[in-house]
Amino acid sequence: MHDMTDKELVTLVHSQPVEAFRFLYDKYWDPLFSMALKRLQDAEEARDVVQEVFVTIWDQRLQLQPRESLLPYLQVILRNRILNLYARNEVKLRYILETQWQAAFAHNNTAQQLTLKELERIIHTAIAGLPPRMQEIFLLNREEHMSPAEIAAHLSLSVQTVKNQLHRATEKMKAEVSAHIDPTLLVLVLPLITAG
């Protein structure tokens, strides 16, 4: 079975699903885990999303179509799982941030009493103040969760140019936002303004 092509493997999925799935798992776990770890920088989260990919494949095994390589198909599923995780983490981050703000205000009467809505307005104003191309690159990274390499390919730029623009954008955002809030609270806001 170990010298089977992916096309033959998909065919086998229909007649011997458990054996075929075990081989598929052994063949693609490591590359998918490496990709997930690179994006998430957290081994436990990477393991979880890769596990979700294989659960999805098992659930959809009867719809699998023979193809030369299953890796691109698996990568799409992985990317969607990671985007879902980002979305869940964004909600969690906002909750943590709001809780931390409330705690900070309760213990620091001199802190500027900003609501999350006011903070978002400051951030949006800072983003709007970026040069158009820098703003586009920053939003592709922050909102679309695209890597510098993906942005470079998308905009026909060099990866280094994209990295430089992201660094400058982050520095401009920090300067703009820190001008409007108490410096002791800046650490709570950094996750929202730092390019990933």
Side-chain angles (χ1 to χ4, degrees), residues 57-76:
I57 291 295
W58 177 256
D59 290 343
Q60 298 176 359
R61 64 191 180 281
L62 298 179
Q63 286 82 48
L64 271 182
Q65 298 298 314
R67 57 190 83 212
E68 293 302 323
S69 172
L70 285 169
L71 188 58
Y73 175 66
L74 296 172
Q75 286 173 318
V76 169

Side-chain angles (χ1 to χ4, degrees), residues 77-92:
I77 298 173
L78 178 65
R79 180 175 178 273
N80 290 338
R81 290 293 171 274
I82 290 173
L83 290 176
N84 289 343
L85 183 64
Y86 281 149
R88 291 198 300 268
N89 284 348
E90 181 75 21
V91 172
K92 188 163 65 177

Side-chain angles (χ1 to χ4, degrees), residues 13-55:
V13 163
H14 299 282
S15 59
Q16 298 178 43
V18 175
E19 291 83 352
F21 185 79
R22 187 175 294 125
F23 178 64
L24 186 69
Y25 187 93
D26 290 342
K27 183 175 182 181
Y28 286 114
W29 173 271
D30 285 340
L32 291 175
F33 178 73
S34 295
M35 290 173 212
L37 186 59
K38 186 176 176 188
R39 292 297 290 271
L40 297 170
Q41 301 294 311
D42 182 301
E44 190 176 334
E45 285 189 339
R47 270 193 295 275
D48 288 347
V49 294
V50 173
Q51 201 68 38
E52 286 178 25
V53 169
F54 284 106
V55 169

Side-chain angles (χ1 to χ4, degrees), residues 139-175:
L139 289 174
L140 285 173
N141 179 258
R142 182 176 181 269
E143 305 291 341
E144 302 298 325
H145 306 290
M146 291 173 70
S147 69
E150 290 169 332
I151 296 170
H154 181 68
L155 299 178
S156 302
L157 298 170
S158 75
V159 176
Q160 192 55 52
T161 297
V162 170
K163 286 181 176 176
N164 291 344
Q165 290 285 303
L166 283 173
H167 177 73
R168 287 197 202 103
T170 300
E171 291 307 307
K172 284 176 179 287
M173 293 285 293
K174 283 182 192 172

Side-chain angles (χ1 to χ4, degrees), residues 125-145:
T125 301
I127 291 172
L130 296 174
R133 179 46 67 96
M134 186 182 290
Q135 182 183 126
E136 183 180 18
I137 290 170
F138 182 81
L139 289 174
L140 285 173
N141 179 258
R142 182 176 181 269
E143 305 291 341
E144 302 298 325
H145 306 290

